[in-house]
């Protein structure tokens, strides 16, 4: 990330820092997934889910970036996203309660 910033920021400005950070985090994700597979813990993660989630979040980010100048559509998009998250949280509420309970016991 630092090396990419040294080259990209002088040429493209501060926006380049966001993109170099994205590249750095994607690289870390790829290395992490490889190492998890290499040490034999790949049953813990669903690689299909991780890749699907990364693709969906990439599409959402690209959509938000394209709609940045249109406030009305951007707020509708954000409201829809929050409704989907609320629906997922409601659907998984028992698992969330269990995880909170386990975290309280450890703390």
């Amino acid at each position: 990330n630092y090396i990419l910033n040294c080259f990209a920021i002088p040429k493209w400005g501060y926006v380049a820092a966001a993109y170099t950070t994205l590249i750095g985090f994607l690289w870390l994700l790829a290395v992490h997934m490889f190492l998890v597979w290499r040490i034999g813990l790949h049953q813990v993660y669903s690689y299909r889910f991780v890749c699907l989630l990364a693709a969906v979040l990439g599409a959402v980010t690209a959509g938000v970036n394209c709609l940045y100048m249109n406030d009305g559509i951007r707020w509708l998009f954000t409201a829809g996203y929050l409704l989907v998250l609320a629906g997922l949280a409601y659907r998984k509420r028992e698992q969330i309660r269990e995880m909170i309970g386990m975290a309280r016991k450890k703390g």
Side-chain angles (χ1 to χ4, degrees):
N1 194 23
Y2 177 75
I3 293 169
L4 287 174
N5 280 338
C6 287
F7 290 110
I9 291 175
K11 188 170 184 173
W12 294 294
Y14 70 93
V15 174
Y19 289 109
T20 59
T21 302
L22 172 66
I23 291 167
F25 276 113
L26 289 174
W27 175 252
L28 282 174
L29 174 65
V31 169
H32 174 77
M33 289 176 69
F34 171 75
L35 291 174
V36 166
W37 173 79
R38 179 82 176 182
I39 62 175
L41 296 176
H42 56 277
Q43 295 88 4
V44 176
Y45 292 104
S46 167
Y47 289 116
R48 178 179 289 171
F49 176 75
V50 171
C51 291
L52 178 66
L53 185 62
V56 167
L57 290 176
V60 168
T61 302
V64 169
N65 205 13
C66 291
L67 299 173
Y68 189 73
M69 296 308 227
N70 190 330
D71 288 341
I73 294 175
R74 188 174 49 163
W75 281 107
L76 284 173
F77 190 77
T78 303
Y81 180 71
L82 290 174
L83 284 173
V84 168
L85 282 180
L88 288 173
Y90 180 77
R91 187 172 166 199
K92 300 286 186 179
R93 65 187 178 278
E94 292 303 320
Q95 290 174 321
I96 293 170
R97 284 185 186 140
E98 288 176 18
M99 290 189 322
I100 290 171
M102 288 177 8
R104 284 185 180 167
K105 288 179 185 176
K106 289 183 180 181

